[in-house]
Amino acid sequence: MRHSKIVDLLILKPLSWIYGMVTAVRNKLFDWHIFKQHTFPVPVLVIGNLAVGGTGKTPHTEYIVDLLRKEYHIGVLSRGYRRRTKGFILADKRSTPAAIGDEPYQIYQKYGHDIRVAVCESRAKGIKELLRLDPRINLIVLDDAFQHRYVKPSTSIVLTEWHRPVYNDEMLPLGRLRESVRALLRTDIVIVTKCPTDIRPGDVSIIYDNLKLFPFQRLYFSHYRYGHLVSVFPDEVRYVPGLEWLNPDDAVLVVTGIANPRPLVRYIKGFK
């Protein structure tokens, strides 16, 4: 038996069992109403996942915001991962990634003229403050809050990757799951992300059967479509080359801040 297998069996597997039991007890305390959930007078849409990062929450949050921003006055609330501040902060023109987190900053830069974007460690307090500051808000979108059960959602969306679906994963620290696959019973919609564009009906059936969804739950599939290259310093560049200009001998330096850059790297390599 290889060393890594021994570590998995003797150390990581027991730790995964312990972690799984802790999360199961926590969820039961919410199910039994021992831990209270807050409800609000406006719909609350939660976007999240069971795995740790890499499923595409922010692109899907932006997609949903783009679809609904003309019909609703949306408030997007995030924890603001790795920001250097504390408490509730409403994004404005002076906000920086250090103050509100890089993902909320990106959402604000794209849609801040139509929606409200805020960060707060406590989702319940954050929603209350958003509604107080802007009573026109009639839809709250919570980014990465499926495990934050102190807020009762109106609709929950859970994402899972095509190349690493939740039913093929393990609980932390052996795998990447923050909750058991049984947590999917709480969601309304499951989206399989980063799919190939030529999905076969048989592949769809396999995923549906493995997820074991109820009839009232909806299953969707999504894929990325990359845009054209843009200049970091547009005032200093006369034209921006396209990836189709690459030759086999060209070198490309790829710098990303995403959890799973492999699909992006494969996409770029396809042009060489």
Side-chain angles (χ1 to χ4, degrees):
M1 186 180 292
R2 292 185 294 112
H3 176 71
S4 60
K5 292 292 185 180
I6 295 175
V7 172
D8 289 350
L9 182 62
L10 297 182
I11 299 178
L12 298 184
K13 191 69 173 181
L15 290 176
S16 293
W17 288 339
I18 294 172
Y19 183 84
M21 287 188 290
V22 171
T23 58
V25 170
R26 178 181 182 270
N27 281 325
K28 283 298 182 184
L29 293 175
F30 279 106
D31 295 340
W32 294 336
H33 306 293
I34 296 174
F35 287 171
K36 295 183 179 179
Q37 290 184 295
H38 296 268
T39 58
F40 294 92
V42 300
V44 177
L45 172 62
V46 168
I47 302 170
N49 59 7
L50 301 187
V52 179
T55 57
K57 290 186 302 297
T58 299
H60 283 76
T61 299
E62 292 181 354
Y63 177 74
I64 290 171
V65 166
D66 193 50
L67 285 178
L68 301 178
R69 62 193 171 103
K70 300 302 182 182
E71 299 180 35
Y72 295 89
H73 193 70
I74 300 173
V76 174
L77 182 66
S78 173
R79 180 181 58 173
Y81 183 62
R82 288 191 175 180
R83 63 187 173 115
R84 299 177 184 175
T85 56
K86 299 287 186 180
F88 177 89
I89 298 179
L90 183 67
D92 59 27
K93 295 180 179 178
R94 297 169 296 178
S95 297
T96 64
I100 63 174
D102 55 354
E103 292 171 346
Y105 178 81
Q106 176 178 301
I107 294 172
Y108 178 78
Q109 290 298 312
K110 290 183 177 181
Y111 303 107
H113 55 286
D114 286 331
I115 69 172
R116 295 285 192 175
V117 179
V119 294
C120 190
E121 296 87 350
S122 169
R123 305 305 204 286
K125 291 180 180 179
I127 293 174
K128 290 178 183 178
E129 189 65 11
L130 265 176
L131 295 177
R132 184 187 71 82
L133 292 173
D134 191 346
R136 298 175 300 162
I137 291 176
N138 55 9
L139 174 64
I140 297 290
V141 176
L142 297 184
D143 183 20
D144 194 15
F146 187 66
Q147 284 75 35
H148 190 87
R149 297 194 61 187
Y150 289 101
V151 172
K152 186 175 179 59
S154 307
T155 302
S156 293
I157 299 175
V158 169
L159 312 180
T160 181
E161 278 189 276
W162 171 269
H163 294 288
R164 192 168 182 175
V166 291
Y167 52 79
N168 285 341
D169 213 336
E170 300 280 352
M171 295 288 290
L172 288 167
L174 182 59
R176 300 189 310 156
L177 295 184
R178 295 185 280 187
E179 288 189 81
S180 164
V181 177
R182 290 190 295 273
L184 288 178
L185 299 177
R186 302 199 316 265
T187 193
D188 302 286
I189 297 170
V190 175
I191 301 178
V192 182
T193 66
K194 304 180 183 179
C195 297
T197 55
D198 55 346
I199 302 177
R200 295 172 297 182
D203 295 329
V204 173
S205 298
I206 290 172
I207 291 176
Y208 186 85
D209 291 341
N210 280 286
L211 288 174
K212 297 179 173 60
L213 300 180
F214 286 115
F216 68 85
Q217 295 176 297
R218 306 297 297 272
L219 177 64
Y220 296 96
F221 297 81
S222 69
H223 70 274
Y224 287 154
R225 184 172 64 244
Y226 293 99
H228 299 293
L229 295 180
V230 297
S231 173
V232 178
F233 306 105
D235 295 336
E236 302 177 13
V237 177
R238 294 184 178 180
Y239 65 91
V240 179
L243 289 174
E244 63 276 7
W245 295 11
L246 290 174
N247 295 312
D249 296 330
D250 290 334
V252 178
L253 173 64
V254 179
V255 180
T256 78
I258 55 180
N260 180 12
R262 287 190 296 273
L264 174 61
V265 172
R266 284 196 300 267
Y267 174 76
I268 294 175
K269 284 183 175 179
F271 287 89
K272 295 187 65 178

